[in-house]
Amino acid sequence: MLGLELIPLGIQAIYAALTFHAVAFYDPNLTGGSMLNNAGSGGGEPLNVIISGLSSPEVLTDAGLLHYAQAIGFSFECLGIHLGDPQSANLGDGNGWVNQTIELRQDFGDDDIGTCLESLVGGNHFRVFRQNGTLANSGALFLAVSQEEDVWDGHTIIPDGYNAGRDKLVAAAIGLTYYERTTYSTVARNLTGLLPAGSTGVNHGIATDGITVLLTVTIV
């Protein structure tokens, strides 16, 4: 799919409506994928939130996801600049290891420059991977969510940062949220069995509780 700057939200919504999916997601573990991404340091970040393929189709587009993220307190990176190498994930959909679609950061109430503050003082952020290959074409968005330290502590993940980041995002998302003239209704369901609990294979050796949260987002 083309970048955000090239496809207006309205056109992406039409595209999404033509590619509507009938399942929430497919378990990557069943088809050679993993619920840990490749963080490039010998470990992976847990894919601890999934935006269901049964969500409103517009939400599952690149532009629609950004709008939804802005409704729950996230936005594009500071001045649109990304530092560091992208991470990749294998969602078991036949596409193999694919780089993140986008990375979004907590915006502290200002979706234009608020993420610059996150880059300094730390906060929540997430990476997005789309499950759309021919083996498992759910259209679901798999998020690697984590809470970061400030820049003076190297922007590493805080202790318990994967669980904490996931829980803060979910708390901001559930119920009714708004951005510009769009209202979103989000329901959450905890899933077990996708991610093992513990720190084996997890980036920075930070243990997780093994819970993945499935969000179904409906435009109302």
Side-chain angles (χ1 to χ4, degrees):
M1 188 178 292
L2 297 176
L4 292 175
E5 70 281 6
L6 297 180
I7 301 184
L9 179 58
I11 296 176
Q12 287 210 17
I14 295 171
Y15 175 85
L18 295 174
T19 56
F20 179 74
H21 303 278
V23 297
F25 68 96
Y26 294 102
D27 181 353
N29 298 300
L30 301 180
T31 46
S34 176
M35 287 294 290
L36 292 175
N37 74 9
N38 181 356
S41 58
E45 295 190 345
L47 302 174
N48 49 12
V49 174
I50 301 172
I51 297 180
S52 169
L54 300 178
S55 299
S56 292
E58 299 91 331
V59 174
L60 301 175
T61 68
D62 289 353
L65 173 64
L66 175 60
H67 278 230
Y68 176 64
Q70 289 169 323
I72 64 173
F74 295 83
S75 194
F76 48 82
E77 294 190 275
C78 178
L79 304 178
I81 299 172
H82 175 71
L83 299 178
D85 295 329
Q87 297 182 7
S88 61
N90 182 348
L91 300 181
D93 59 1
N95 287 335
W97 291 91
V98 177
N99 284 348
Q100 63 200 44
T101 298
I102 193 172
E103 185 171 349
L104 299 171
R105 297 185 181 276
Q106 185 177 352
D107 65 16
F108 295 95
D110 186 327
D111 57 27
D112 289 321
I113 62 172
T115 56
C116 297
L117 181 59
E118 194 277 343
S119 296
L120 289 175
V121 303
N124 219 4
H125 80 308
F126 63 90
R127 306 170 192 272
V128 182
F129 305 90
R130 179 176 282 109
Q131 189 177 57
N132 63 355
T134 55
L135 292 182
N137 186 14
S138 69
L141 303 175
F142 287 64
L143 313 184
V145 190
S146 58
Q147 181 86 5
E148 294 180 307
E149 302 275 12
D150 59 38
V151 68
W152 296 276
D153 286 319
H155 246 296
T156 58
I157 308 302
I158 68 170
D160 199 37
Y162 297 119
N163 293 336
R166 176 202 62 207
D167 291 347
K168 289 182 179 179
L169 183 148
V170 171
I174 56 176
L176 295 179
T177 55
Y178 314 88
Y179 183 73
E180 293 183 341
R181 289 175 291 179
T182 304
T183 302
Y184 303 92
S185 174
T186 302
V187 296
R189 181 160 62 97
N190 288 354
L191 305 175
T192 57
L194 295 173
L195 278 167
S199 61
T200 301
V202 180
N203 199 30
H204 304 299
I206 297 173
T208 75
D209 58 15
I211 294 173
T212 300
V213 178
L214 179 67
L215 299 180
T216 303
V217 183
T218 304
I219 295 177
V220 297

